[in-house]
Amino acid sequence: MRLTEQQEAEIAAAQAARSTTARPTVAALEAMLFQALPALDHGFVRVIDYMGDDAAIVQAARVSYGRGTRRVSEDAGLIRYLMRHRHSTPFEMCEIKYHVKLPIFVARQWIRHRTANVNEYSARYSILDREFYLPAPEQLAAQSAVNRQGRGDVLTGDEAAHVLDLLREDATRTYDHYAEMLNEDATGAARDPARQGLARELARMNLTLNTYTQWYWKIDLYNLFHFLSLRADAHAQYEIRVYAEAMLRTVEAWVPVACQAFRDYRLGAVTLSAQMLTVVRRMLAGEAVQQPDSGLNRREWAELMAALDRP
Ligand SMILES: Cc1cc2nc3c(=O)[nH]c(=O)nc-3n(C[C@H](O)[C@H](O)[C@H](O)COP(=O)(O)OP(=O)(O)OC[C@H]3O[C@@H](n4cnc5c(N)ncnc54)[C@H](O)[C@@H]3O)c2cc1C
């Protein structure tokens, strides 16, 4: 990830600015404000603003006049109770705003999360940067043989080199055509004065999906946890997972108690169906349960055995 000198100067100026506020702030997140956390080869995620903290969750849950906090252990216990029992609205009292730079194919997965406010860079109005995502060699995997939505072994040797060449050549060629159709140089002047140039809103249509876009994305903590539970999960595609993991670090700094509760009761937890629970009870009673007489289909059985760390 490279930022221009001007972008770095703008971030430094934002970090140096100070405002006086009576609102609660969180020192650990203040230290990360505006900083671009790298993701993929040219992407990043950075916190632009936030509202609330762990205490705001407690305060809303107790509908308090003041800060509403009691002993640290009592507050943590309440937050963990709320998370465990899937209460939503106290967590919705906290909000965070990110600036994200991401490949278009990752943005397509991300935008399916409808509970955020989004404002995307306009490629009708502006010209997209000449930046494409090219996977690192260790991410250049074959199609999984067992999971139609997953990856298998990493490609190696000539095949890997050929795939990377194709990705680079296609992205470069379509970007060159984009620039040619626009007929504009970096200053906005016509490259060829004899041509009018195609409108930006049309010229963009043949760009490859690994071209980077950017957006501001604002969401409340409850829905952010939902997003992270799906996108920081091992089943999520690697390319969106790296963003989710970077965001998880910001949430850790912002609301450490709620984040730990999320890790314990959501991210690291497993939901058992009624049939699965029956199987676990039978196993605990000493019965040697097998899949055919478990009441579970093969896939459910495999998932339960994986969760219980059994072969
Ligand atoms: C591993 C993985 C694979 C996927 N594969 C596919 C795929 O093959 N094809 C595909 O199309 N999508 C796929 N998706 C996207 C998925 O189906 C969801 O669209 C996406 O994860 C957003 O989830 P969400 O709707 O719960 O989130 P959000 O939109 O953030 O909504 C959060 C919650 O708010 C509620 N909500 C929001 N809007 C409404 C509404 N209009 N009506 C009712 N309730 C609402 C729901 O309870 C929802 O769970 C995949 C997602 C993952 C994580």
Side-chain angles (χ1 to χ4, degrees), residues 6 26 28 37 39 75 77 81 100-101 107 110 119 121 144 146 151 177 206 210 226 255 257 260 273 280 286 294:
Q6 190 190 340
V26 180
L37 307 175
D75 288 354
Y81 173 89
V100 192
K101 183 170 179 185
W110 195 311
N119 195 69
Y121 184 90
S144 164
V146 291
R151 299 183 185 182
H177 290 168
N206 72 332
N210 58 351
H226 178 70
V255 282
V257 177
Q260 189 57 51
S273 66
V280 173
S294 66

Side-chain angles (χ1 to χ4, degrees), residues 50-241:
Y50 67 99
M51 178 175 79
D53 57 3
D54 274 325
I57 301 165
V58 170
Q59 187 187 30
R62 296 195 177 124
V63 193
S64 308
Y65 287 84
R67 288 284 278 151
T69 56
R70 295 185 192 154
R71 283 212 317 271
V72 173
S73 60
E74 252 182 82
D75 288 354
L78 176 56
I79 289 175
R80 293 178 70 76
Y81 173 89
L82 294 169
M83 180 69 71
R84 205 161 59 244
H85 293 279
R86 294 186 170 266
H87 284 261
S88 52
T89 42
F91 296 103
E92 289 171 17
M93 299 298 159
C94 298
E95 295 226 352
I96 192 160
K97 181 162 66 187
Y98 292 100
H99 175 191
V100 192
K101 183 170 179 185
L102 69 177
I104 292 170
F105 74 93
V106 176
R108 283 190 60 177
Q109 295 188 335
W110 195 311
I111 202 71
R112 298 299 306 280
H113 295 269
R114 300 157 289 176
T115 43
N117 303 111
V118 190
N119 195 69
E120 187 172 3
Y121 184 90
S122 172
R124 293 184 72 190
Y125 184 81
S126 309
I127 298 176
L128 287 163
D129 292 338
R130 191 190 188 91
E131 281 176 335
F132 333 108
Y133 167 59
L134 294 177
E138 65 274 17
Q139 293 304 330
L140 216 54
Q143 174 61 42
S144 164
V146 291
N147 177 356
R148 289 191 194 162
Q149 280 200 339
R151 299 183 185 182
D153 295 336
V154 172
L155 300 183
T156 52
D158 289 348
E159 188 178 7
H162 181 57
V163 167
L164 273 178
D165 284 347
L166 289 177
L167 287 170
R168 190 179 299 106
E169 282 166 20
D170 286 355
T172 306
R173 192 175 62 244
T174 61
Y175 194 93
D176 286 345
H177 290 168
Y178 170 66
E180 188 180 333
M181 288 189 284
L182 289 172
N183 194 35
E184 283 182 52
D185 67 17
T187 65
R191 293 187 345 170
D192 173 358
R195 288 194 289 122
Q196 288 191 77
L198 187 65
R200 291 171 183 178
E201 66 180 17
L202 285 171
R204 62 178 167 173
M205 73 178 143
N206 72 332
L207 289 172
T208 46
L209 292 181
N210 58 351
T211 307
Y212 275 83
T213 184
Q214 300 183 41
W215 59 36
Y216 267 44
W217 195 77
K218 181 170 76 69
I219 194 162
D220 64 61
L221 182 59
Y222 180 77
N223 285 295
L224 178 58
F225 278 145
H226 178 70
F227 173 87
L228 294 175
S229 70
L230 293 171
R231 303 305 183 177
D233 183 85
H235 295 98
Q237 179 167 345
Y238 165 79
E239 281 76 13
I240 195 165
R241 192 157 21 98

